[in-house]
Amino acid sequence: MTSDFNPDVDIYNDYKESDASSLNGKVTLRERVNAVYKVLDGLRKQGNRSISNIAMNAERRATRYFRGTRAPSADSVNILIDGGEKREHGLGRKSEPLLSGTAYCISSCSMILLNKIVLSSYGFNAGISLMFYQNFISSVVVVVLALCGVASVERLNWKLIRVWIPVNIIFIGMLVSGMYSLKYVNIAMVTILKNVTNILTAIGEYYIFHKRQNQKVWTAMFLMIISAISGGITDLSFNLKGYVWQILNCVLTASYSLTLRLVMDKAKQLTRSGSLNEVSMVLLNNLLSLPFSILLIFLFGEWEYVLNVDVVRIPMFWVLATTSGLIGLSISFTSMWFLNQTGPTTYSLVGSLNKIPISLAGIVLFNVPLSLPNFFSILFGLFAGVFFVKAKM
C-alpha cells in the first residue's frame, strides 16, 4: 500500500519535538525511543489494515505504555508550574489597563480639585507663583529619578532648547490661564468649556495639516458649542473674567497640541538618540518654564504679594501646593502608562468620561449654586464630549 503518510518519520518527529521541549530530556529519551520501536513493530504486523486502524492501535499502545506506575517526572511538575506562572502573568497583564486607567483618572481628578482648593478656598491670588512651585517640584522629582536610573532622559542642548521655546511659552500660558479660570469658574463649567479646545484643535488640523473630519465629528462639535453657550447663559455663578481666562486657556491648549506636532520631528533630530520620550518632554517643559515664570512673577508683582499674604504661613497650604505639584507629575506618568497599555482611542474616551465625576465632585464639594437648566446643560456638554470621541473613533 503506497501513501504519503510515513509512520516511521512522523511518529519519530513527534517524540523528537517532545524531547526537545522537555527540561530533562536526557533521562527519558531512551525509554521513549524504545516505546517508538514497539509501536512501529506493531504497525508492521498490522500492515493489511487501514491507516485509520493503524493510527488508532498505535495511539492505544502508546497510551497504555505511558500509563505505567511511574511517579510524576520532574518534566511534568515543571510544566505544571510554568503553566501556573503563565496564567498568573496573563492575569497581571489583563489587570494593568484597569490599574493604569484608574491611576490616571484619580490623578486627573485630584489635580483639578487641589488647584481649586488652593486658589479659591485659600484665596491665593498668585497663579503664576503656584505654577512655578508645581513645575519646580516636578523638575526636581524627574531629575532625581533620572540620577537614580529609574527614568531615561535625553541630554538637553541649546539647539533643542531653542526649538522648544515656542512650545514652552504656549505651555506656560496654558497653565496660567487654567489656574485663573479655576479661581473664578466652577469645575463643572470649566470641564464643559474645555470642549471648545476640541473644536479649535479640529479646525487647526484642517487648515494646518489638511486633516478632514467626518460629519459625525462636526455634529459633535456643534453640540459642544450649544452646550457651552447654554451652560454660560444658565450659570448662576457666572464670572466674565473667569470665562475670558477659560476661553484663552482653550485657545492656548489647542495651540500647544498643534505646535507640539509641528516641532516634534525637528526636536527629535536634535537629540543624540534621535527620539524624545515623554519623560524628556516633561522635564524640558518644566525646566524651561522656571526662568519664564520668575520673569512673569516680577513683571506682575506677585513676588510682593506672596511675601506679604498670610496664607503662605499656613503649613496645610504648602502641603496641598506640594501635593498638587507631585500629582501634576503623576498625571504625566500615569497618562503615559495608560496610553501604552491601551491606545489613543481608549485614552481619549476615558479622558472624556473622566469629566463626569470631576464635574459632579466639583458641584458637591464647593457648594456650587445650580439651577435645573444649568445642570442639564452640563450633562449635555459632558455627553457631547463623549460623542465627539466616539465620532473620532
Side-chain angles (χ1 to χ4, degrees):
M1 180 176 65
T2 60
S3 174
D4 293 335
F5 173 75
N6 190 337
D8 292 354
V9 176
D10 289 337
I11 295 176
Y12 177 73
N13 285 339
D14 289 341
Y15 277 101
K16 187 176 180 181
E17 289 174 4
S18 176
D19 286 326
S21 63
S22 176
L23 297 177
N24 195 17
K26 293 181 180 179
V27 176
T28 59
L29 180 59
R30 183 176 298 174
E31 296 179 4
R32 295 187 181 185
V33 170
N34 291 335
V36 171
Y37 282 119
K38 289 184 179 181
V39 172
L40 293 177
D41 184 64
L43 290 174
R44 293 189 190 95
K45 293 178 181 179
Q46 299 176 15
N48 57 346
R49 297 186 182 182
S50 65
I51 293 175
S52 60
N53 289 335
I54 292 173
M56 290 177 63
N57 287 330
E59 183 180 357
R60 290 195 191 100
R61 293 191 182 197
T63 303
R64 281 198 299 270
Y65 178 81
F66 287 113
R67 280 182 182 173
T69 58
R70 293 179 298 170
S73 64
D75 296 345
S76 304
V77 176
N78 288 333
I79 289 170
L80 289 173
I81 293 174
D82 291 343
E85 288 178 352
K86 287 179 181 178
R87 283 193 294 271
E88 290 178 3
H89 187 62
L91 291 173
R93 285 187 175 180
K94 288 180 181 179
S95 64
E96 280 194 19
L98 178 63
L99 292 175
S100 59
T102 304
Y104 166 67
C105 291
I106 292 174
S107 299
S108 180
C109 292
S110 302
M111 185 64 177
I112 294 176
L113 294 174
L114 278 177
N115 280 343
K116 182 69 175 177
I117 291 171
V118 171
L119 293 168
S120 297
S121 299
Y122 281 93
F124 189 67
N125 195 26
I128 301 173
S129 301
L130 179 61
M131 180 201 67
F132 169 80
Y133 184 69
Q134 290 175 344
N135 291 349
F136 175 76
I137 293 295
S138 298
S139 300
V140 171
V141 173
V142 172
V143 170
V144 171
L145 292 176
L147 292 175
C148 295
V150 177
S152 176
V153 178
E154 289 287 336
R155 289 188 178 183
L156 307 183
N157 57 73
W158 172 244
K159 290 183 179 180
L160 177 61
I161 292 173
R162 189 171 56 186
V163 169
W164 202 263
I165 283 177
V167 177
N168 190 253
I169 292 174
I170 299 173
F171 173 74
I172 294 169
M174 181 182 69
L175 293 182
V176 172
S177 58
M179 292 281 189
Y180 281 108
S181 67
L182 271 175
K183 180 174 177 60
Y184 299 108
V185 183
N186 67 75
I187 292 176
M189 283 309 305
V190 166
T191 57
I192 298 306
L193 293 172
K194 278 183 177 292
N195 286 332
V196 178
T197 302
N198 297 328
I199 300 170
L200 297 175
T201 304
I203 295 172
E205 286 179 337
Y206 177 78
Y207 284 103
I208 298 173
F209 301 104
H210 306 290
K211 182 179 179 181
R212 297 183 179 273
Q213 307 293 344
N214 58 49
Q215 189 175 358
K216 289 183 179 180
V217 172
W218 291 112
T219 303
M221 289 192 287
F222 178 72
L223 295 176
M224 288 189 289
I225 292 173
I226 294 175
S227 68
I229 295 173
S230 62
I233 293 173
T234 58
D235 188 5
L236 298 180
S237 58
F238 178 84
N239 186 293
L240 180 60
K241 186 186 292 185
Y243 272 71
V244 171
W245 277 114
Q246 184 54 51
I247 295 300
L248 179 61
N249 176 258
C250 293
V251 173
L252 291 171
T253 304
S255 302
Y256 175 74
S257 61
L258 294 170
T259 307
L260 189 63
R261 287 177 60 183
L262 284 172
V263 304
M264 182 63 70
D265 292 336
K266 189 174 182 180
K268 289 179 179 179
Q269 295 173 4
L270 299 174
T271 60
R272 292 187 176 183
S273 64
S275 63
L276 192 65
N277 59 28
E278 288 85 354
V279 181
S280 300
M281 286 191 286
V282 170
L283 181 61
L284 193 59
N285 268 334
N286 288 313
L287 275 180
L288 287 181
S289 70
L290 298 182
F292 287 110
S293 300
I294 293 173
L295 179 63
L296 291 174
I297 288 170
F298 281 95
L299 186 64
F300 287 91
E302 282 194 4
W303 64 274
E304 189 175 357
Y305 168 83
V306 172
L307 290 176
N308 296 319
V309 71
D310 293 332
V311 72
V312 298
R313 296 173 180 83
I314 302 175
M316 193 61 191
F317 169 81
W318 288 106
V319 171
L320 292 174
T322 305
T323 305
S324 66
L326 295 173
I327 290 177
L329 183 62
S330 73
I331 290 175
S332 301
F333 285 109
T334 55
S335 61
M336 286 186 290
W337 181 26
F338 185 45
L339 188 60
N340 289 331
Q341 291 298 321
T342 54
T345 303
T346 306
Y347 175 79
S348 300
L349 184 60
V350 171
S352 184
L353 291 171
N354 195 33
K355 293 179 180 179
I356 298 175
I358 293 175
S359 301
L360 297 177
I363 292 171
V364 174
L365 293 176
F366 297 98
N367 298 319
V368 177
L370 195 67
S371 64
L372 191 62
N374 185 242
F375 179 71
F376 278 111
S377 66
I378 291 170
L379 289 180
F380 183 73
L382 292 172
F383 286 106
V386 175
F387 180 69
F388 174 81
V389 177
K390 293 284 289 181
K392 293 279 284 186
M393 293 169 63

